[in-house]
């Protein structure tokens, strides 16, 4: 795909998600334990569907919701009278939920550990990042043994493909380019968006990109500028278009640049869903020539910058 000097796409919208879980009987509504159990059973069904789609980021987000609901259901069941009744409720609700959770516990742990290692790279803490990668190697060995012993259902291949891709970036020193001169911290949202960009590039058999800290800073300045000046557009009165903005912020070595901007898409998943459905944004994300990405957010605004050196 070609990219002009400043390829650009913009999407504006609002996403509202509402999930409602309810029990199936008057008894469930009147009993806290049954209500919490039914809520948990519904969440387990949703969680398993998410797992089977094979997107590790989505699994990582759903994992904590499931964990919290397991805790809530266990607490409610613990207050039920009668040992046999408690055992019956636990077998019905808690056991299948824990099996669903244990099926992915190591993959979620790997994702989070590698994301943490990536953060250490950005903070120029190479020794700490290397230590985390050694932990990853031990975690993978332990996970293989426990999964084999527990006879858990296999996960979609895409889960391990994503994790392997992140690991490759870290072990080949291509995860990120830190900038020691900046007093700046890349946000967790930006890190997740970066990983989602690379997942989509993996799926398209394209080289993964490297997160550039100064480019992320520039992207955040763009988001801040849109918020401060209450506009949503590619051209800034303060900075100009991206090819004029980047040199003003210390980025001078590039042959082409692209930008996607967002308003009222607050989560990495919501932004990913937009670029997958918007041809102009998708074209930028999947440009085979881009090497670096920079992700920045401020309030309801976000900017994703991409560079061809």
């Amino acid at each position: 795909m070609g990219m002009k000097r400043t390829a650009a796409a913009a999407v504006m919208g609002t996403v509202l998600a509402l999930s409602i879980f309810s029990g199936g009987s008057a008894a469930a509504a009147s009993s806290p334990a049954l209500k919490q159990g039914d809520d948990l059973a519904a969440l387990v069904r949703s969680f398993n569907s998410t797992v089977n789609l094979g997107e590790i980021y989505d699994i990582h987000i759903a994992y904590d919701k499931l964990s919290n609901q397991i805790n809530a259901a266990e607490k409610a069941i613990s207050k039920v009278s009668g040992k046999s009744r408690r055992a019956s409720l636990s077998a019905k609700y808690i056991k299948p939920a824990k099996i669903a959770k244990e099926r992915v516990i190591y993959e979620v742990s790997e994702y989070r550990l590698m994301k943490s290692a990536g953060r250490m790279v950005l903070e120029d803490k190479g020794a700490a990042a290397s230590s985390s990668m050694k932990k990853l190697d031990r975690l993978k060995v332990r996970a293989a043994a426990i999964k084999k012993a527990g006879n858990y259902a296999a996960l979609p291949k895409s889960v391990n493909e994503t994790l392997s891709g992140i690991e490759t970036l870290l072990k080949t020193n291509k995860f990120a380019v830190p900038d020691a001169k900046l007093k700046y911290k890349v946000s967790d949202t930006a890190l997740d968006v970066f990983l989602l960009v690379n997942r989509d590039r993996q799926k398209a058999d394209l080289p993964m990109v490297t997160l550039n800290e100064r480019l992320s800073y520039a992207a955040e300045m763009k988001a801040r500028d849109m918020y401060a000046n209450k506009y949503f557009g590619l051209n800034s009165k303060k900075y100009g278009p991206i090819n004029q903005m980047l040199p003003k912020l210390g980025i001078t070595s590039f042959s082409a640049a692209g930008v996607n901007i967002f308003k009222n898409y607050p989560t990495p998943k919501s932004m990913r869903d937009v670029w997958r459905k918007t041809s102009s944004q998708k074209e930028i994300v999947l440009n085979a020539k881009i090497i670096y990405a920079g992700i920045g957010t401020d309030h309801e605004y976000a900017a994703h910058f991409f560079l061809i050196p």
Side-chain angles (χ1 to χ4, degrees):
M1 301 175 188
M3 178 183 285
K4 296 181 179 180
R5 177 78 177 183
T6 305
V11 172
M12 179 176 180
T14 302
V15 176
L16 175 64
L18 175 63
S19 297
I20 301 175
F21 302 111
S22 61
S25 66
S30 63
S31 166
L34 288 174
K35 176 63 169 64
Q36 292 289 352
D38 286 343
D39 285 354
L40 178 58
L43 193 56
V44 168
R45 290 192 293 272
S46 174
F47 183 79
N48 285 333
S49 295
T50 297
V51 170
N52 290 334
L53 290 174
E55 297 280 4
I56 187 60
Y57 170 78
D58 297 346
I59 297 168
H60 143 76
I61 294 298
Y63 182 89
D64 289 335
K65 294 179 182 178
L66 179 62
S67 296
N68 291 338
Q69 187 57 39
I70 289 173
N71 291 339
E74 283 186 314
K75 183 176 180 180
I77 290 171
S78 72
K79 297 178 181 180
V80 172
S81 299
K83 183 177 180 180
S84 62
R85 179 60 174 154
R86 291 194 298 273
S88 176
L89 290 170
S90 293
K92 180 178 180 180
Y93 295 120
I94 304 303
K95 183 177 180 180
K98 287 189 173 180
I99 289 173
K101 178 181 173 180
E102 290 164 2
R103 183 185 174 201
V104 299
I105 187 171
Y106 285 103
E107 287 74 17
V108 171
S109 297
E110 287 177 31
Y111 178 86
R112 294 176 179 181
L113 180 61
M114 287 191 288
K115 183 180 170 184
S116 175
R119 165 75 63 198
M120 292 170 191
V121 171
L122 284 166
E123 294 172 356
D124 209 13
K125 298 177 180 177
S130 296
S131 178
S132 290
M133 296 310 292
K134 290 177 181 178
K135 290 180 183 177
L136 175 67
D137 291 336
R138 295 193 295 269
L139 181 64
K140 288 166 68 177
V141 171
R142 187 162 67 248
I146 291 176
K147 280 179 173 289
K148 183 177 180 180
N151 197 30
Y152 295 102
L155 296 175
K157 292 181 180 180
S158 56
V159 172
N160 285 324
E161 288 174 356
T162 305
L163 295 172
S164 294
I166 301 171
E167 183 179 359
T168 297
L169 286 176
L170 285 164
K171 289 188 172 180
T172 58
N173 296 318
K174 293 182 179 179
F175 185 93
V177 177
D179 191 323
K181 296 179 181 179
L182 281 177
K183 293 182 179 180
Y184 172 72
K185 182 178 180 180
V186 175
S187 70
D188 280 346
T189 294
L191 273 175
D192 281 325
V193 169
F194 163 68
L195 294 172
L196 289 175
V197 164
N198 270 333
R199 175 56 194 152
D200 278 10
R201 290 180 65 84
Q202 266 187 319
K203 289 166 67 176
D205 293 324
L206 293 170
M208 290 181 288
V209 296
T210 297
L211 185 64
N212 185 296
E213 188 171 24
R214 183 165 288 274
L215 189 61
S216 290
Y217 169 75
E220 186 166 314
M221 291 304 100
K222 171 65 177 176
R224 288 186 189 181
D225 184 57
M226 289 191 290
Y227 174 74
N229 294 292
K230 304 305 177 189
Y231 76 97
F232 181 69
L234 299 167
N235 193 39
S236 165
K237 290 182 179 179
K238 179 178 181 180
Y239 296 111
I242 186 174
N243 58 328
Q244 294 177 16
M245 178 181 184
L246 294 181
K248 292 176 182 178
L249 296 174
I251 301 170
T252 58
S253 180
F254 63 95
S255 62
V259 54
N260 288 333
I261 59 175
F262 302 79
K263 182 181 180 182
N264 292 332
Y265 289 96
T267 67
K269 181 181 184 300
S270 64
M271 286 183 267
R272 177 198 66 191
D273 291 347
V274 169
W275 81 57
R276 285 182 174 179
K277 295 175 182 177
T278 309
S279 59
S280 54
Q281 289 208 349
K282 186 176 181 180
E283 182 178 355
I284 293 173
V285 170
L286 299 184
N287 186 292
K289 295 181 180 179
I290 63 173
I291 302 297
Y292 298 114
I295 313 296
T297 63
D298 187 53
H299 292 78
E300 68 269 33
Y301 294 90
H304 303 173
F305 285 0
F306 301 94
L307 284 188
I308 300 174

